[in-house]
């Protein structure tokens, strides 16, 4: 069977890595690495938060075939099932794992510790890319000093809103939690056919800004051991505010209780949302799907309780090579996609943020009103989940979405749901001890 290139990302994600001017061709080519005649790499690309990547990879395949003689087979996967698919493939051994994978930054520790991913630290240095990588993204894919792939794209979530509707009702973008609550309630009253602010029970990264914004933490580390912090008074306060928008203020209807980020995106595309948490890739994706909304969208950082910004998850996806007999050829593909022409194309087509400082500076200089708020959020209030392989299992077990959904459906109080989530997290953390 063909080895597989899997693109599996975070998400939750998500931001497009742009490239440096190096063009991804470092002159360090060996016959073994570039002779791909008769060989095929199978690529898994995530769907859900990403825009349609088919045209992009059709071009990349032509370029890769011209350079190496190898072919690319792209398979598109859903974020919700990807992590389980990764784990099953790794457990199945070398015949089951991919050649290259787009691995979400929160999954890198989990997969790296199984020895499934290839340490490409030396290859990155030889390519002259090391000093240009965005430090936070580079760190996310590095474990014990070893780098497991190249940053492909990175993203952060802020608030996207219908600028035309805000102007119609003389509303301003919220700058505090109280303003967010008041604005959402006003939108519910003035625009009853729209979801004024979806409290999406299946979207983990919609809830975490309010946990962090209230001063809480998902978990804390001490002496090499992790312990959940999700049921602390601060975290509970944030969860209570977020879920209360649905349970008390009724700005989010019951149909949203189980929505994932993809389903929020689908509703945006249909013109059914007035304001929601979304990624820096969201405005372009909305307009691409619904051209009627061009010029009608705005963006603002997620407000802090009393001003400033609440922290928001800063993550992204790596393109990583798996330990197979095609890992050298796979690295050539990783370089092609994550640097130079194709990295620049991906950034332009998706509005994802680059993983290279030189390209990020170009984006910042444009002062785009639909990009700058996200850039500010990323630089000033970006946060990460616990950097441990256990957190990948916590995400796969959907601990936080389960907690939020139990509150939204009235099955548990906020404290009860948080206590159960903490217990579940600690049981998973304990497996590493």
């Amino acid at each position: 069977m063909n080895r597989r290139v899997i693109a599996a990302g975070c998400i939750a994600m998500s931001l497009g890595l742009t490239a440096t001017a190096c063009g991804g061709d470092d002159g360090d080519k060996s016959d073994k690495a570039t002779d791909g005649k008769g060989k095929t790499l199978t690529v898994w690309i995530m769907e859900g938060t990403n825009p349609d990547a088919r045209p992009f990879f059709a071009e990349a395949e032509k370029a890769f075939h011209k350079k190496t003689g190898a072919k690319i087979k792209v398979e598109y996967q859903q974020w919700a099932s990807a992590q389980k698919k990764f784990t099953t493939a790794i457990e199945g051994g070398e015949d089951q794992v991919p050649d290259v994978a787009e691995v979400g930054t929160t999954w890198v520790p989990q997969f790296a510790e199984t020895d499934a991913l290839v340490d490409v630290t030396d290859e990155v240095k030889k390519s002259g890319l090391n000093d240009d990588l965005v430090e936070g993204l580079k760190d996310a894919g590095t474990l014990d000093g070893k780098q497991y792939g190249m940053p492909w794209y990175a993203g952060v979530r802020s608030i996207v809103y219908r600028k035309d509707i805000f102007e119609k009702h003389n509303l301003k973008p919220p700058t505090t939690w109280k303003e967010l609550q008041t604005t959402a309630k006003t939108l519910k009253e003035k625009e009853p056919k729209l979801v004024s602010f979806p409290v999406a029970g299946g979207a983990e990264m919609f809830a975490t800004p309010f946990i962090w914004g209230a001063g809480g933490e998902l978990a804390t580390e001490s002496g090499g051991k992790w312990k959940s912090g999700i049921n602390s008074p601060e975290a509970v306060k944030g969860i209570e505010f977020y879920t209360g928008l649905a349970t008390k203020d009724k700005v989010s209807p019951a149909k949203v209780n189980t929505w994932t980020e993809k389903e929020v995106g689908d509703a945006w595309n249909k013109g059914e949302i007035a304001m929601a948490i979304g990624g820096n890739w969201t405005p372009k994706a909305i307009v691409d799907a619904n051209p009627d909304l061009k010029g009608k969208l705005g963006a603002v950082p997620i407000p802090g309780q009393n001003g400033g910004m609440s922290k928001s998850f800063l993550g992204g996806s790596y393109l990583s090579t798996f330990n197979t007999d095609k890992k050298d050829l796979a690295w050539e593909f990783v370089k092609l996609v994550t640097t130079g022409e194709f990295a620049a194309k991906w950034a332009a087509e998706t509005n994802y943020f680059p993983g290279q400082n030189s390209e990020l500076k170009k984006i910042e200089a444009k002062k785009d009103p639909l990009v700058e708020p996200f850039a500010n959020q990323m630089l000033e209030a970006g946060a990460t989940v616990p950097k441990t392989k256990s957190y990948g299992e916590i995400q796969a077990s959907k601990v936080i979405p389960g907690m939020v959904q139990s509150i939204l459906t009235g099955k548990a109080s906020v404290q009860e749901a948080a206590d159960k989530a903490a217990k579940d997290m600690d049981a998973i953390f304990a497996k590493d001890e």
Side-chain angles (χ1 to χ4, degrees):
M1 63 181 287
N2 292 329
R3 304 294 180 186
R4 304 183 178 183
V5 179
I6 303 179
C10 58
I11 328 204
M13 50 275 244
S14 334
L15 288 178
L17 286 184
T18 54
T20 63
C22 67
D25 191 357
D26 60 7
D28 183 36
K29 299 185 230 177
S30 66
D31 291 340
K32 181 180 178 182
T34 59
D35 183 8
K37 187 175 181 179
K39 299 178 181 179
T40 300
L41 299 178
T42 303
V43 185
W44 288 6
I45 299 296
M46 295 298 102
E47 290 185 309
T49 53
N50 290 338
D52 184 5
R54 288 166 179 81
F56 174 84
F57 279 98
E59 286 191 51
E61 178 182 9
K62 291 179 182 177
F64 189 62
H65 181 69
K66 182 178 180 180
K67 180 179 181 181
T68 68
K71 295 181 179 180
I72 297 297
K73 181 183 178 184
V74 181
E75 297 178 359
Y76 295 90
Q77 311 293 334
Q78 295 298 316
W79 286 103
S81 58
Q83 189 172 11
K84 183 177 181 181
K85 195 163 186 175
F86 268 105
T87 303
T88 300
I90 291 170
E91 291 174 349
E94 184 178 332
D95 288 340
Q96 301 296 317
V97 297
D99 291 305
V100 179
E102 180 206 342
V103 181
T105 53
T106 62
W107 297 350
V108 170
Q110 179 185 0
F111 300 152
E113 290 194 8
T114 67
D115 294 324
L117 302 183
V118 177
D119 171 14
V120 295
T121 308
D122 290 341
E123 284 77 5
V124 173
K125 290 179 180 178
K126 290 176 184 177
S127 298
L129 299 166
N130 194 54
D131 292 338
D132 195 33
L133 297 181
V134 173
E135 189 61 34
L137 298 176
K138 178 183 174 182
D139 179 66
T142 302
L143 193 67
D144 297 329
K146 299 177 180 179
Q147 187 172 331
Y148 293 95
M150 276 285 289
W152 183 30
Y153 62 84
V156 71
R157 291 164 182 80
S158 297
I159 289 179
V160 180
Y161 64 94
R162 285 282 299 274
K163 186 171 61 174
D164 58 327
I165 291 176
F166 271 56
E167 291 172 352
K168 176 182 176 182
H169 300 296
N170 296 315
L171 296 173
K172 294 182 179 180
T175 61
T176 66
W177 284 9
K178 182 63 177 177
E179 289 180 9
L180 174 62
Q181 179 187 43
T182 301
T183 301
K185 291 169 71 173
T186 300
L187 288 167
K188 178 177 182 291
E189 176 188 351
K190 301 292 186 181
E191 300 287 343
K193 294 182 179 180
L194 299 180
V195 178
S196 60
F197 189 80
V199 179
E204 176 179 337
M205 298 309 172
F206 282 24
T208 50
F210 297 98
I211 294 172
W212 288 319
E217 295 290 346
L218 301 177
T220 56
E221 186 267 340
S222 177
K225 296 182 179 180
W226 287 88
K227 181 175 178 58
S228 175
I230 205 165
N231 62 340
S232 70
E234 294 83 3
V236 167
K237 181 179 179 181
I239 298 166
E240 188 171 34
F241 174 80
Y242 176 61
T243 57
L245 293 170
T247 60
K248 297 178 182 178
D249 300 318
K250 309 296 183 182
V251 303
S252 180
K255 67 179 181 179
V256 180
N257 289 355
T258 59
W259 277 10
T260 63
E261 191 162 0
K262 180 182 184 301
E263 288 164 313
V264 174
D266 291 342
W268 261 120
N269 297 344
K270 296 175 184 176
E272 298 174 352
I273 304 288
M275 174 177 63
I277 291 176
N280 48 288
W281 58 93
T282 300
K284 187 178 188 304
I286 294 170
V287 173
D288 286 348
N290 188 346
D292 289 343
L293 292 180
K294 185 175 182 179
K296 297 179 180 179
L297 300 176
V300 66
I302 300 173
Q305 285 190 80
N306 301 305
M309 304 180 197
S310 288
K311 291 180 180 179
S312 182
F313 174 65
L314 167 60
S317 288
Y318 263 52
L319 277 184
S320 299
T321 53
F322 270 57
N323 258 314
T324 74
D325 57 2
K326 298 178 189 170
K327 59 186 178 183
D328 293 320
L329 182 64
W331 171 246
E332 292 299 316
F333 179 74
V334 168
K335 284 195 296 180
L336 177 75
V337 175
T338 62
T339 66
E341 174 188 358
F342 284 99
K345 280 180 178 289
W346 183 253
E349 291 174 6
T350 62
N351 269 14
Y352 288 131
F353 284 135
Q356 292 159 304
N357 291 306
S358 56
E359 294 295 326
L360 182 57
K361 290 176 182 177
K362 294 177 186 177
I363 290 176
E364 290 177 315
K366 293 180 180 179
K367 300 293 183 182
D368 187 325
L370 285 176
V371 175
E372 190 173 11
F374 292 102
N376 291 339
Q377 182 94 59
M378 178 176 173
L379 294 171
E380 297 180 29
T384 61
V385 298
K387 193 176 175 181
T388 167
K389 69 177 184 179
S390 293
Y391 202 79
E393 184 176 343
I394 288 169
Q395 288 187 307
S397 301
K398 302 186 186 306
V399 173
I400 292 179
M403 174 191 73
V404 173
Q405 289 173 14
S406 68
I407 298 167
L408 297 177
T409 57
K411 293 180 180 179
S413 68
V414 175
Q415 188 67 59
E416 289 170 344
D419 286 342
K420 182 181 184 304
K423 182 178 179 181
D424 291 343
M425 291 172 70
D426 286 339
I428 295 173
F429 285 137
K431 295 178 183 180
D432 279 349
E433 296 178 6

